[in-house]
Amino acid sequence: MNILSIALKEMKQSIRNRRTLLFTLAFPIVLMLILGLALTNAFSSNVSIGDLKVVLKDSSGGGQLSQAFTGFTKEVGKMGVTFESLKSGMNGREEVQNGRYVDYVELTDQGISLYGSSRDTIESNIVQGMLASFTDKYNAASAVAQIEPTKTEAVFASGGHDYIKETSVNPDRTPGSIDYYALAMTVMIGMWAAMAGSHIIKGEITRGTAVRLVIAPVRKSEIFTGMILGGIVTNMLCVIAIILFSKYVFKAYWGSHMGIVLIVLLSEVIMAMSLGLAASYLLKGAVSSGIISIVVQLMSFFGGAYFPIGNETGGGMMGFLVNLSPVRWANHGLTEVIYGNTVSAAWPVVGLNIGFAVLFLGASIFMMRRREGL
Amino acid sequence: MNVLDIRGLTKKFGDFVAVDNMSLTVREGEIFGFLGANGAGKSTTINVVSSLLRPSSGEIRILDKDIMKQSRFAKMNLGIVPQDLAIYEDMTAYENVSFFAGLYGLRGIKLKERTIEALDFVGLGDKAKSFPKNFSGGMKRRLNIACAIAHKPKLIIMDEPTVGIDPQSRNYILTSVRKLNESGCTIIYTSHYMEEVEEICSRIAIVDHGKIIAEGTKEQLKSTITDVKDIRIELKSVQGGVVEKLRSIPGVRNVSQEDHVIRIHSDAAVDNLNRMLKQLIDAGMEIRSVEEQEPNLETVFLTLTGRNLRD
């Protein structure tokens, strides 16, 4: 009960802080609009399913898999996905790395291997979705063949368009600039929870109210949990507000897995809140808020909040920094969920966020327990 | 019955001993004055009693229960009015009191009643829906008190509750302290205003360098100062350098000046009044009145600690 009343108090105060609330909501919406309109041409118009080129190496020895796959390539070829054989002297991975193909597919006796492009995530995901559909169908056909070999053909005879239908990839759906910034800004707002987290306990100490909380018959863990819970709910409400605004006012596309999208964003908010809290315990005075603000801005920048930065970086220091940003993790994962229908892409992001949250919260609890007062 | 019992309390910060083997007892129904100059160990003692700091050694009992072993019981029976305001400016007066009272397990109608009662008690009943950011300093101090009393604690510690406020609010707070005491609360009161302590406290302890150096009723404390006389001389005007000259007279312990009045603390055994007056007349000053006063708490404090309370 105490946890709940502390959380409600925290939410009430955050919502009454109109200046911060307005900034938290208005800034991303305005930025979404400005950048979305200004960079319209830089986005989806260049990406179409007809442009997809995949390099293929068939080492399966021309067996059933090879034959079935040839049928598959013909069907998806009608949709504009071209499979080209790997020529001698060519390295499939390098071809993808260098951006000449979106994916490299290798057929062997063991099955199908795919090397996807980390640059052209969306295009690669479309191909992956189609391949997943093919493998499902091939596995089904193999199972039928073991029981009733004559019915095998019927499994494949259901038509090539199934590859498209079953992957649920909408060939016309590519992220426009508004779609991109709706996602990027929402992820950035989720990360802003770090700034709220850095202030959550420090604010009580500065106001002098920490004294009253500590002398009350309430455990430190209840105070701690209540405050974090309040902060998480408030920040999550902001995130949801941004999603709804972008979806219904800007008509941004959020895909068909909204629940998964919200889980990823919730994990990001929890991680960000914990990061801010840990910083406030590790760094003394007002320094922590300043440092966290800078760190969040850097994470947003490298994570592609202001413009897509990840795809062209390749390796090196820039690539390293980009991959360090939790904003990038969430952006990348959610793009796959929303545009590639790859729900599984959400879980590594959720895992990373929750893992770091546990680490940061653990450090904060350790330091809080050693302290006198909050 | 003892409401607070401190036995052999020591609190160290590294090598610095802030509270040094202190023992103190506060009895039920008292308004107990806790006096000490800045850095004497007063606030540290209060913070340990309130569980804000952990004692290095010693035992503290509230209503005969060890605060370390039965901290919930101790906290339920303790109310603190901190020296610095501890209120939320962005929550109404009602929300402030209700939130803090809720942490003491009050719920529903009882919580509502106690909140309104506490606000009425400090004269803020009509300001329940107002935000403290629009309050005067005195009103904020009163809200600070309301937040500490809504759960009806047996012991209330008030750490300089009248600092920096107008005389009207100050009088209101002093009256409230008396009313609280009459309603059955035991109060520990600290202040830099000696006259407040003298006016409302039934028993007083003086703390210096982390130790209680004197304890008792006002009369008992004053009676300990038999070797000091307190002389008050009113002049038409005071010339510079006279205070230093008076200090050089044998037996004089301390000289202070406030407008045209000079106060001299001197050894009672030394007959030096004539020399004092001669010094002033020689300096060309016109004497309006000379008065030898009974020692007051300030004299006691100065004599025992060698410092003014506001030092």
Side-chain angles (χ1 to χ4, degrees):
Chain A
M1 197 65 188
N2 285 327
I3 292 175
L4 199 63
S5 72
I6 292 170
L8 285 173
K9 186 270 304 174
E10 202 60 42
M11 288 168 65
K12 200 181 281 183
Q13 286 184 297
S14 302
I15 289 163
R16 282 186 185 162
N17 190 345
R18 287 189 190 152
R19 202 178 300 170
T20 307
L21 190 69
L22 189 72
F23 184 75
T24 308
L25 294 176
F27 180 78
I29 288 170
V30 170
L31 214 59
M32 209 185 289
L33 187 67
I34 293 171
L35 293 174
L37 291 176
L39 302 177
T40 306
N41 294 332
F43 280 83
S44 59
S45 56
N46 294 332
V47 182
S48 72
I49 202 161
D51 293 329
L52 306 187
K53 277 169 71 183
V54 181
V55 62
L56 172 72
K57 184 181 176 186
D58 188 352
S59 317
S60 64
Q64 265 190 348
L65 174 63
S66 182
Q67 285 169 25
F69 199 82
T70 307
F72 165 71
T73 55
K74 278 179 189 163
E75 290 299 331
V76 295
K78 291 173 194 167
M79 306 306 298
V81 182
T82 317
F83 280 80
E84 292 178 7
S85 295
L86 185 75
K87 294 186 178 74
S88 61
M90 277 169 72
N91 182 315
R93 291 182 175 227
E94 280 177 11
E95 292 298 315
V96 174
Q97 260 174 3
N98 295 333
R100 282 190 281 275
Y101 296 91
V102 294
D103 283 308
Y104 167 50
V105 175
E106 201 173 319
L107 301 185
T108 63
D109 291 341
Q110 307 300 314
I112 303 171
S113 320
L114 180 130
Y115 179 75
S117 169
S118 60
R119 294 176 160 204
D120 305 311
T121 318
I122 297 157
E123 293 88 335
S124 175
N125 272 305
I126 291 168
V127 176
Q128 281 177 44
M130 290 174 172
L131 267 177
S133 177
F134 167 75
T135 50
D136 285 349
K137 193 157 277 189
Y138 180 75
N139 288 337
S142 301
V144 169
Q146 283 174 11
I147 302 161
E148 212 166 340
T150 52
K151 297 274 175 77
T152 312
E153 284 302 312
V155 178
F156 282 110
S158 57
H161 289 291
D162 279 5
Y163 297 122
I164 306 304
K165 281 180 194 164
E166 285 175 25
T167 55
S168 302
V169 171
N170 177 358
D172 297 329
R173 170 53 67 184
T174 52
S177 54
I178 283 287
D179 299 325
Y180 177 83
Y181 283 111
L183 175 59
M185 286 297 134
T186 309
V187 170
M188 184 180 80
I189 292 305
M191 202 62 222
W192 280 11
M195 292 191 270
S198 73
H199 187 69
I200 212 157
I201 298 281
K202 218 159 242 181
E204 296 288 343
I205 295 168
T206 313
R207 276 189 296 251
T209 42
V211 171
R212 280 206 198 285
L213 293 173
V214 174
I215 61 174
V218 182
R219 284 194 298 274
K220 267 188 187 182
S221 56
E222 288 178 285
I223 301 171
F224 195 78
T225 313
M227 288 192 162
I228 293 172
L229 185 66
I232 288 170
V233 173
T234 310
N235 281 278
M236 202 55 205
L237 286 175
C238 287
V239 164
I240 291 170
I242 300 284
I243 291 176
L244 293 176
F245 194 89
S246 65
K247 186 176 169 76
Y248 293 108
V249 179
F250 293 154
K251 307 291 178 200
Y253 182 67
W254 282 96
S256 51
H257 301 287
M258 192 49 94
I260 304 294
V261 170
L262 289 176
I263 288 171
V264 172
L265 290 168
L266 177 64
S267 73
E268 188 205 12
V269 168
I270 294 171
M271 187 276 294
M273 185 67 66
S274 316
L275 169 69
L277 192 66
S280 75
Y281 274 107
L282 278 168
L283 306 163
K284 286 183 179 171
V287 182
S288 63
S289 300
I291 289 180
I292 278 294
S293 299
I294 294 168
V295 168
V296 167
Q297 287 309 320
L298 288 174
M299 283 174 174
S300 302
F301 175 80
F302 287 116
Y306 301 113
F307 53 89
I309 199 169
N311 294 347
E312 296 77 25
T313 53
M317 180 54 84
M318 189 67 169
F320 176 72
L321 288 173
V322 164
N323 288 323
L324 270 186
S325 167
V327 176
R328 159 77 174 175
W329 308 338
N331 265 338
H332 192 264
L334 288 176
T335 302
E336 293 196 20
V337 172
I338 296 167
Y339 297 99
N341 274 327
T342 319
V343 172
S344 60
W347 308 129
V349 184
V350 173
L352 272 172
N353 283 337
I354 297 299
F356 276 106
V358 168
L359 191 73
F360 294 138
L361 280 175
S364 304
I365 290 166
F366 175 74
M367 284 180 277
M368 183 191 69
R369 289 173 74 97
R370 288 185 60 185
R371 261 191 203 181
E372 290 178 308
L374 272 184
Chain B
M1 185 190 184
N2 292 339
V3 175
L4 176 67
D5 218 342
I6 300 176
R7 292 175 200 165
L9 175 68
T10 298
K11 177 65 188 176
K12 292 179 184 172
F13 296 101
D15 292 334
F16 176 71
V17 182
V19 180
D20 189 3
N21 195 26
M22 183 188 284
S23 292
L24 180 73
T25 298
V26 178
R27 292 188 283 267
E28 191 175 9
E30 284 185 325
I31 301 181
F32 189 86
F34 199 48
L35 296 181
N38 289 330
K42 188 174 40 137
S43 292
T44 306
T45 308
I46 290 173
N47 288 342
V48 176
V49 172
S50 334
S51 313
L52 286 168
L53 296 173
R54 296 183 199 111
S56 304
S57 64
E59 189 187 14
I60 300 167
R61 299 178 83 84
I62 289 178
L63 294 165
D64 214 27
K65 301 270 173 29
D66 191 313
I67 66 161
M68 299 299 282
K69 290 175 186 155
Q70 284 171 287
S71 78
R72 187 174 166 80
F73 174 85
K75 286 177 169 191
M76 287 295 283
N77 286 288
L78 183 65
I80 304 277
V81 180
Q83 184 178 343
D84 297 319
L85 290 169
I87 51 174
Y88 297 108
E89 300 261 337
D90 47 6
M91 284 165 64
T92 64
Y94 182 91
E95 286 169 338
N96 264 285
V97 179
S98 174
F99 170 68
F100 288 118
L103 297 180
Y104 289 81
L106 295 173
R107 301 277 180 267
I109 294 169
K110 201 171 183 184
L111 174 64
K112 198 175 173 183
E113 282 172 0
R114 291 280 185 87
T115 303
I116 293 167
E117 200 180 319
L119 284 169
D120 284 339
F121 184 81
V122 296
L124 290 175
D126 57 337
K127 299 283 179 190
K129 288 181 181 172
S130 304
F131 288 91
K133 57 188 167 194
N134 303 320
F135 284 3
S136 69
M139 287 161 81
K140 285 181 186 177
R141 288 263 157 213
R142 276 143 63 188
L143 179 59
N144 205 29
I145 294 174
C147 291
I149 61 171
H151 63 286
K152 299 212 166 169
K154 293 273 193 311
L155 173 65
I156 300 175
I157 300 178
M158 295 185 157
D159 194 1
E160 303 198 25
T162 58
V163 77
I165 58 169
D166 57 283
Q168 197 186 345
S169 289
R170 192 174 169 187
N171 287 337
Y172 198 103
I173 288 174
L174 292 179
T175 309
S176 304
V177 172
R178 279 199 205 91
K179 271 166 48 184
L180 269 174
N181 182 241
E182 283 160 18
S183 72
C185 276
T186 304
I187 292 161
I188 297 177
Y189 192 90
T190 83
S191 176
H192 272 150
Y193 303 109
M194 198 65 89
E195 59 277 22
E196 279 182 7
V197 176
E198 200 154 0
E199 189 184 330
I200 64 167
C201 294
S202 48
R203 219 154 56 87
I204 296 155
I206 296 175
V207 58
D208 195 34
H209 294 106
K211 290 183 174 176
I212 302 285
I213 56 169
E215 188 184 340
T217 62
K218 283 170 275 189
E219 292 68 30
Q220 283 170 337
L221 288 177
K222 285 175 192 172
S223 69
T224 60
I225 311 298
T226 52
D227 57 341
V228 176
K229 58 185 175 188
D230 186 3
I231 298 161
R232 181 183 181 277
I233 304 172
E234 189 183 349
L235 302 161
K236 191 178 179 187
S237 63
V238 180
Q239 289 175 8
V242 72
V243 170
E244 285 69 33
K245 281 177 186 167
L246 288 170
R247 273 196 189 121
S248 65
I249 295 170
V252 172
R253 293 186 182 188
N254 190 280
V255 182
S256 61
Q257 182 204 330
E258 200 170 315
D259 296 329
H260 295 170
V261 177
I262 290 179
R263 289 189 66 176
I264 303 160
H265 294 109
S266 175
D267 288 345
V270 182
D271 188 7
N272 50 11
L273 182 59
N274 283 345
R275 290 187 66 177
M276 291 175 200
L277 298 175
K278 185 176 180 302
Q279 191 72 260
L280 295 169
I281 293 163
D282 287 351
M285 281 177 272
E286 192 182 317
I287 298 167
R288 284 188 167 167
S289 67
V290 178
E291 205 180 334
E292 191 167 328
Q293 295 183 317
E294 286 289 308
N296 57 17
L297 269 185
E298 205 157 336
T299 319
V300 174
F301 190 85
L302 191 66
T303 308
L304 292 173
T305 66
R307 290 191 281 177
N308 277 312
L309 189 58
R310 291 188 185 89
D311 283 351

